[in-house]
Amino acid sequence: MKNMSWDDLRLFLAVARHGGLTGAANEQGSSPATVGRRMLALEQAIGRPLFLRRQTGYTLTDDGRLLLGRAQAMDVGARDIADWLEADGRRSVVRISAGTWTAYFLATNFARLWRPQDRFRIAFKTTEARLDIAHREVEIGVRNAQPDSPNLAARRTVEVAYAPFRARSLPPACVSAWNKDPVSGVIGIQKGPL
């Protein structure tokens, strides 16, 4: 295959990272239909299936996993070039990944994280997905669990309490869908029609 598009490989990385089209489309500022067409075109151009498509999302085939490793290496190189171009006399960027609520908390307490005289800038990447620190998608990940990789350092910070809420005006049929697991005490929503 000649002239493989880097844009298609970036979309491939996003689909692999999110396990589906919707998350990848949101990350890349596109529509799921467009991302799906581009992934089909990429598979046709390569001549190999890259994904197993299921109702629950996309999983990589063996060829998809092989391409993922190579595309991640290219992505690291592209980020190095982007960082070099951005560094043109400016401060380096420290990318911090966190979920929506945590990123909001960090942003509202920004003055405690960063001062104008610091030799770096902070960029928040707000996502519920785990960005890969080992492959330099971010430098710092604020997560609710220990990292899977033994090569990453972790430090427990604080416990965060949370609870689900519902509108008082929710119809009675919907209220019965809320249940409490007697073992864990976790409140959740039953799957199925409401």
Side-chain angles (χ1 to χ4, degrees):
M1 163 177 182
K2 320 183 196 176
N3 300 328
M4 184 183 302
S5 167
W6 172 237
D7 290 336
D8 286 345
L9 288 175
R10 280 193 334 198
L11 275 178
F12 167 77
L13 286 170
V15 173
R17 182 170 37 255
H18 291 282
L21 302 177
T22 303
N26 290 339
E27 177 186 310
Q28 297 294 318
S30 187
S31 72
T34 299
V35 174
R37 283 191 299 273
R38 300 260 306 268
M39 291 304 94
L40 282 172
L42 179 63
E43 287 178 320
Q44 288 172 350
I46 291 174
R48 299 176 185 183
L50 301 173
F51 299 102
L52 296 173
R53 291 159 176 85
R54 297 188 172 115
Q55 272 188 309
T56 56
Y58 279 37
T59 56
L60 294 172
T61 63
D62 290 340
D63 284 325
R65 282 189 289 280
L66 290 171
L67 179 60
L68 178 64
R70 289 167 172 83
Q72 286 174 329
M74 288 177 65
D75 190 44
V76 168
R79 287 179 196 272
D80 285 343
I81 292 169
D83 291 347
W84 172 69
L85 291 171
E86 268 189 21
D88 189 25
R90 293 184 266 168
R91 302 172 194 187
S92 60
V93 177
V94 176
R95 296 166 298 184
I96 301 174
S97 165
T100 307
W101 181 89
T102 306
Y104 173 77
F105 175 80
L106 294 172
T108 56
N109 291 282
F110 190 70
R112 298 171 79 182
L113 295 173
W114 183 83
R115 296 167 296 157
Q117 63 269 26
D118 287 337
R119 298 180 61 190
F120 60 90
R121 295 178 294 144
I122 293 179
F124 291 112
K125 291 195 165 225
T126 304
T127 179
E128 305 309 318
R130 284 188 171 199
L131 298 181
D132 194 343
I133 296 171
H135 288 98
R136 298 188 56 204
E137 290 180 326
V138 291
E139 284 74 39
I140 299 172
V142 180
R143 299 179 174 155
N144 62 359
Q146 290 286 335
D148 297 330
S149 171
N151 298 328
L152 297 177
R155 187 171 110 187
R156 186 180 181 132
T157 55
V158 296
E159 285 191 19
V160 176
Y162 60 92
F165 292 89
R166 66 169 180 84
R168 289 178 199 231
S169 61
L170 198 63
C174 295
V175 173
S176 66
W178 287 74
N179 63 359
K180 182 174 182 180
D181 180 18
V183 177
S184 68
V186 174
I187 296 173
I189 298 178
Q190 280 180 266
K191 293 184 178 177
L194 295 180

